[in-house]
Amino acid sequence: MVGHIEDEYRKFSELKRDEILKLMDWCLRQPHLPNLTELEIVIFFHSCYNSVVMTQLRIDAAFTIRTHCPEFFANRDVLGKDVVAQMSLLLYTPLPGLTPDGYKSIFARWMDSDPSKFVFGDALKLFTMVSDMCIMDEGTVNGYMIVMDMSGVTFGHLAKLGISTLKKYMLFVQEGLPVRLKGLHFVNTVSFMDKVLALMRPFMKRELLDVLELHSTVESLRKHVFPEQLPNEYGGKAGTFDELREKTYNQIKENRDFFLREESERRVNEKLRPGKPKGAGDLFGMEGNFKKLEFD
């Protein structure tokens, strides 16, 4: 995990501690929110380009969505059958180092292309665990790239992409994930990418569409990363797919207690929310819900 909090302030001089402390005080005055650490506040603040108001919105969104999306954020036990099953099926792993632009990359691919084993909600649960671990490991960075290798994806997988589940997750990625999302790259694209994107586009903001890139092979991805950061199978030096999977999943297993504590301690208490409590319908039934919140 991240070292001393002072290291985060040294990385980005625009991070001002007095603003972070004000945000910590604001969090303490929101009875429905969990108590956040200084590091958590710093990560949220940096992800919002140092905007206090946007940080407040994102913090509320992040923990409200986590509370009302149990398919991704409940029973986050790394030894649970649902998570273990997706570990055997999928590789989610941070790639080593940072890109030439200072971005952290999270890589995803199928290791077993049998669609009968694929459970969309469970796969996204595993991805959130890997991304949470990566964010806490890295602290503040210039941005994040998600690289999805489409090798082995079939129409059978596409049929399992539930619209409701996809909508919820896209809301979390864009409203609640405390990162600057700088790239969404699909590599080794399949012939039916138009259908994949047709499912996703209704739930993507312009900012995310602007960083979406399709690569028919790995070659055009190389301009975004240092070649040695890529898996061995791509001609890089990061390790083989199997080595990366073993390293990453062993790490989340070692942090089992972190995920169990996170689930019990990092959720909102709707009974204590000022004004009207929120439910899943409030979150996913109207566009731009969090933009209408008011804060002190």
Side-chain angles (χ1 to χ4, degrees), residues 87-88 91 111 241-249:
M87 283 182 183
S88 68
L91 167 62
M111 300 291 282
F241 293 149
D242 284 330
E243 289 168 346
L244 289 167
R245 178 168 62 170
E246 181 178 10
K247 178 182 178 181
T248 300
Y249 293 164

Side-chain angles (χ1 to χ4, degrees), residues 15-180:
L15 291 171
K16 304 301 182 184
R17 195 164 209 162
D18 60 336
E19 293 179 306
I20 299 300
L21 294 177
K22 288 176 183 177
L23 280 164
M24 291 181 72
D25 178 67
W26 170 83
C27 282
L28 290 172
R29 290 186 288 108
Q30 308 306 309
H32 64 298
L33 289 179
N35 292 331
L36 304 187
T37 66
E38 185 173 353
L39 173 60
E40 288 174 304
I41 298 289
V42 164
I43 290 172
F44 272 101
F45 186 60
H46 178 261
S47 76
C48 294
Y49 297 89
N50 311 317
S51 164
V52 170
V53 173
M54 291 306 299
T55 302
Q56 292 172 334
L57 289 166
R58 184 162 293 184
I59 288 172
D60 196 284
F63 295 103
T64 302
I65 294 170
R66 283 175 183 260
T67 303
H68 293 292
C69 286
E71 55 266 65
F72 313 136
F73 297 110
N75 303 314
R76 302 176 89 200
D77 187 349
V78 296
L79 302 182
K81 290 182 179 179
D82 53 350
V83 175
V84 170
Q86 298 308 299
M87 283 182 183
S88 68
L89 192 68
L90 297 156
L91 167 62
Y92 295 137
T93 186
L95 295 179
L98 301 176
T99 72
D101 293 316
Y103 304 156
K104 188 70 180 177
S105 301
I106 299 181
F107 176 75
R109 85 180 306 272
W110 270 257
M111 300 291 282
D112 181 339
S113 59
D114 182 354
S116 69
K117 300 176 183 178
F118 177 59
V119 180
F120 188 38
D122 294 347
L124 293 176
K125 179 193 291 192
L126 175 59
F127 187 82
T128 66
M129 296 170 77
V130 172
S131 60
D132 278 0
M133 181 184 68
C134 182
I135 291 165
M136 294 305 294
D137 272 347
E138 292 295 325
T140 53
V141 294
N142 279 337
Y144 274 77
M145 285 176 23
I146 297 174
V147 181
M148 172 70 75
D149 185 343
M150 299 296 286
S151 301
V153 177
T154 68
F155 272 112
H157 295 100
L158 192 63
K160 292 197 166 186
L161 302 185
I163 296 298
S164 174
T165 301
L166 182 61
K167 180 180 182 180
K168 290 177 181 180
Y169 196 73
M170 295 303 291
L171 177 70
F172 172 70
V173 167
Q174 295 171 97
E175 297 283 347
L177 195 63
V179 303
R180 301 176 178 182

